[in-house]
Amino acid sequence: MRQLITGEPGLYFLATTHLPTHGQHPANPYPLFCRWLACLLAFALFQLPVHGQTTPSALLPAADTSTVLRLYDDAFGAHSQLYNGPEYVEYAKQGSRQIGHPFFLIPEVQPGTVHYNGHLFQQTRLKYDALLDQVVLAQNTSPLLVRLVDEKLTYFTINNHYFIRILADSSAKNTLATGYYEVLLRDKPISVLARRAKKIQKNIANQTVIIEYLADEKLFARKDGRYYPIRSKRSVYNLFKDHISEVRIYMRKNKLKLKKKSFESDFLALSNFYNSLLLP
């Protein structure tokens, strides 16, 4: 199985411009479509000449009818696929006490977009469960949350953070596990990805299970078609070894220490600097 990065932005899905926006999604889309179809039919009627008393069906050519039906299938067919996934079930069970939460950034839904089953859907409301590595969609007409099917989800954004899905290549070295990765830097000699995972720690106190969610994030760099885990200052130096003198000077000048609290931001700054040395 080859390793694929399937997250490059695709074409905008035309039908999304016809979809109800946040707060306007009806429980049944068919009344909305009937009004929309009536407008299209009326427009078609006005565009055709009238000869005597002719029925509306005779005035509308077959090609126009098929176009209307195709637009309907595109708009509502794709939209129904988006909300037709399995119900999302959070890991923590009833009766347990939680410290923290399993989601990316915050436990509440956040604005985002999804490229799902070949279509781009904007103005969606999402959660990303970093423990289960699942993308969750909130509905406007139901409190139930829908879990998007991984195989259909190419990439998504949540609160302006861009994630892609990577498929593992079992035959290659320096590969990544299958899952979602945030893209921090791309289309450069050095690309940077982050695995925004979480793990749990269980304890029992007073016959109550206590579940604590802990960050378990990892950084990866892609260079010359291979992925490298970035865990320490040494791994950073090894990555930049062909320009290590310039990188060290830049670090001293900008006071980049690669300490734990600032490790990610420092590494991104160094990666941008390294890329500037290679790009014309």
Side-chain angles (χ1 to χ4, degrees):
M1 181 170 57
R2 299 298 300 169
Q3 185 170 34
L4 301 174
I5 298 180
T6 57
E8 295 305 317
L11 297 176
Y12 279 76
F13 174 44
L14 176 63
T16 56
T17 58
H18 302 289
L19 295 176
T21 57
H22 172 55
Q24 297 179 331
H25 178 61
N28 183 356
Y30 292 97
L32 176 62
F33 167 67
C34 292
R35 295 194 296 270
W36 179 60
L37 178 59
C39 292
L40 287 179
L41 291 173
F43 176 77
L45 292 175
F46 279 114
Q47 301 303 311
L48 298 173
V50 179
H51 301 287
Q53 292 184 346
T54 310
T55 61
S57 60
L59 290 174
L60 187 61
D64 290 345
T65 304
S66 64
T67 299
V68 171
L69 294 176
R70 178 179 57 79
L71 291 174
Y72 169 77
D73 289 339
D74 286 348
F76 292 99
H79 192 259
S80 64
Q81 294 176 29
L82 183 65
Y83 290 91
N84 198 30
E87 180 184 355
Y88 166 75
V89 179
E90 191 173 335
Y91 175 84
K93 299 179 180 179
Q94 292 184 355
S96 64
R97 175 187 163 198
Q98 298 186 57
I99 300 176
H101 58 83
F103 301 102
F104 175 64
L105 297 180
I106 58 176
E108 292 78 22
V109 293
Q110 303 177 68
T113 62
V114 295
H115 191 270
Y116 194 71
N117 207 22
H119 303 303
L120 178 65
F121 296 90
Q122 298 175 296
Q123 297 179 342
T124 58
R125 299 187 301 138
L126 303 175
K127 292 183 177 186
Y128 171 47
D129 187 325
L131 176 69
L132 301 179
D133 196 28
Q134 295 177 354
V135 182
V136 182
L137 181 70
Q139 304 181 74
N140 294 325
T141 58
S142 171
L144 297 180
L145 298 173
V146 174
R147 176 172 63 82
L148 298 181
V149 178
D150 293 331
E151 290 74 17
K152 296 181 179 181
L153 183 57
T154 310
Y155 67 86
F156 69 94
T157 67
I158 182 167
N159 200 16
N160 296 319
H161 293 263
Y162 176 57
F163 286 78
I164 62 174
R165 186 168 186 262
I166 290 182
L167 301 178
D169 184 356
S170 57
S171 64
K173 296 180 180 180
N174 299 83
T175 188
L176 298 181
T178 296
Y180 297 106
Y181 294 80
E182 183 181 3
V183 181
L184 303 177
L185 192 61
R186 61 176 175 169
D187 300 331
K188 301 289 178 63
I190 293 288
S191 298
V192 181
L193 305 175
R195 180 76 156 164
R196 303 301 190 192
K198 289 192 175 183
K199 60 184 179 180
I200 59 171
Q201 181 174 295
K202 291 183 179 180
N203 295 296
I204 298 178
N206 298 325
Q207 298 183 340
T208 300
V209 177
I210 301 174
I211 298 177
E212 184 176 5
Y213 295 94
L214 304 171
D216 188 26
E217 301 189 348
K218 297 179 176 65
L219 283 176
F220 299 90
R222 190 171 190 266
K223 180 182 181 183
D224 299 329
R226 300 178 66 181
Y227 289 101
Y228 298 90
I230 305 300
R231 304 188 183 100
S232 63
K233 186 180 292 187
R234 174 175 293 184
S235 61
V236 173
Y237 289 162
N238 288 336
L239 186 70
F240 300 139
K241 60 184 177 182
D242 51 336
H243 287 278
I244 191 60
S245 297
E246 297 97 319
V247 168
R248 287 181 180 273
I249 292 173
Y250 183 82
M251 288 181 64
R252 289 194 296 269
K253 182 179 178 180
N254 293 274
K255 299 180 180 180
L256 302 178
K257 305 294 185 181
L258 290 172
K259 298 294 185 181
K260 185 176 181 179
K261 289 185 178 180
S262 62
F263 187 87
E264 182 176 310
S265 59
D266 288 353
F267 176 63
L268 281 175
L270 291 174
S271 297
N272 277 311
F273 172 71
Y274 177 88
N275 287 334
S276 71
L277 297 176
L278 302 182
L279 294 174

